[in-house]
Amino acid sequence: MPIRAVLWDIDDTLFDYSGADRQAMARLLELEGLPGGYATPDEALDDWRTIAGHHWARFSAGETDYVGHRRDRVRQFLALDLADAEADAWFRRHTVHYEAAWSLFPDVVPVLDLLGGYRHGALSNAGAVEQHRKLTALGVRHRFEALLCAVELGVSKPDPAAFHAACEALALDPHEVAYVGDEPDTDAAGAVAAGLTGIWLDRGERGGRADLVRITGLHQLPAVLSGDTRFGAPDTFG
């Protein structure tokens, strides 16, 4: 049976999360100075990204809640034992600059226009309130008939239950749905394990996963969905 719908990851797939986060932190460091222990802004920026990944993994594993993981990120980055209110205030200052830097990748709207014959939904490991607001501000929320997020689902990718919940929201079987995301394991391989067609959007051209359907830009997606497998993937679109 052909693919009838495309499910999308949001951060670093549709929305340039890494770029916005880095711009926000660079601006905050410019205004407030380097925290102790960092020799250069680049060192601090790289560590902020590493710390964010560590605490997001803790949140995904149920070791902390969403607000708690943000507070822990701030405390570790600043190497300070901040009260909750102090950590929240610092994160709010970061958020001002982060939201000012929000943008879609330039290939997103063109490919959504090209894929008008497919239904579309989004499945994110973040929270629905944040992702709804983000997609609305970026002018594309109306493109997705379903938006499901781990915070509200209580389960996150790559757990098959997350992908199945999104398929159920579209009233489609997993084999009728493709999932597009920037993480090979969490997104593409997780989708495949759940019975969907997983497509890895490898914008950085990291490579190294010949077992996955892989594209390096969204301009390649329409051909892949139609069964053209010139992008190094086995034909799974029968």
Side-chain angles (χ1 to χ4, degrees):
M1 186 175 294
I3 300 297
R4 297 177 60 190
V6 182
L7 275 173
W8 298 84
D9 173 55
I10 296 174
D11 294 339
D12 283 331
T13 296
L14 301 171
F15 162 65
D16 186 4
Y17 168 79
S18 294
D21 188 51
R22 194 169 183 89
Q23 288 182 54
M25 182 56 63
R27 180 58 176 158
L28 194 57
L29 294 178
E30 179 183 334
L31 293 172
E32 302 191 7
L34 280 174
Y38 295 110
T40 67
D42 282 343
E43 181 184 338
L45 289 166
D46 290 343
D47 201 36
W48 171 252
R49 184 70 170 163
T50 300
I51 289 168
H54 168 70
H55 289 292
W56 185 262
R58 292 179 56 242
F59 164 67
S60 297
E63 297 173 11
T64 184
D65 61 17
Y66 188 71
V67 174
H69 106 279
R70 297 197 313 189
R71 292 169 176 164
D72 290 341
R73 285 169 62 183
V74 174
R75 291 177 179 124
Q76 183 175 346
F77 179 68
L78 298 179
L80 295 173
D81 186 19
L82 300 177
D84 287 351
E86 293 173 308
D88 291 342
W90 190 95
F91 204 92
R92 282 196 298 272
R93 296 197 298 276
H94 169 272
T95 298
V96 169
H97 303 299
Y98 168 62
E99 293 187 358
W102 280 0
S103 66
L104 297 169
F105 287 102
D107 54 3
V108 170
V109 170
V111 82
L112 289 173
D113 288 342
L114 286 172
L115 297 178
Y118 294 88
R119 297 169 62 194
H120 295 274
L123 173 63
S124 167
N125 272 358
V129 172
E130 176 184 0
Q131 299 296 54
H132 173 82
R133 189 165 68 87
K134 185 186 297 175
L135 293 175
T136 300
L138 293 169
V140 293
R141 175 63 184 89
H142 65 287
R143 303 269 193 159
F144 306 97
E145 60 182 271
L147 170 62
L148 289 90
C149 295
V151 173
E152 290 73 25
L153 284 175
V155 63
S156 57
K157 302 173 297 181
D159 192 314
F163 294 100
H164 293 163
C167 292
E168 289 171 9
L170 295 171
L172 293 174
D173 291 331
H175 63 268
E176 299 177 284
V177 180
Y179 189 85
V180 181
D182 68 292
E183 291 293 339
D185 297 325
T186 302
D187 294 326
V192 170
L196 291 75
T197 294
I199 301 171
W200 176 26
L201 176 59
D202 183 15
R203 291 190 184 276
E205 299 193 38
R206 291 175 282 173
R209 289 295 301 267
D211 59 314
L212 296 175
V213 177
R214 172 180 170 268
I215 58 176
T216 58
L218 291 180
H219 64 285
Q220 297 170 342
L221 183 59
V224 172
L225 292 174
S226 68
D228 185 335
T229 58
R230 291 174 294 165
F231 306 105
D235 188 348
T236 57
F237 301 95

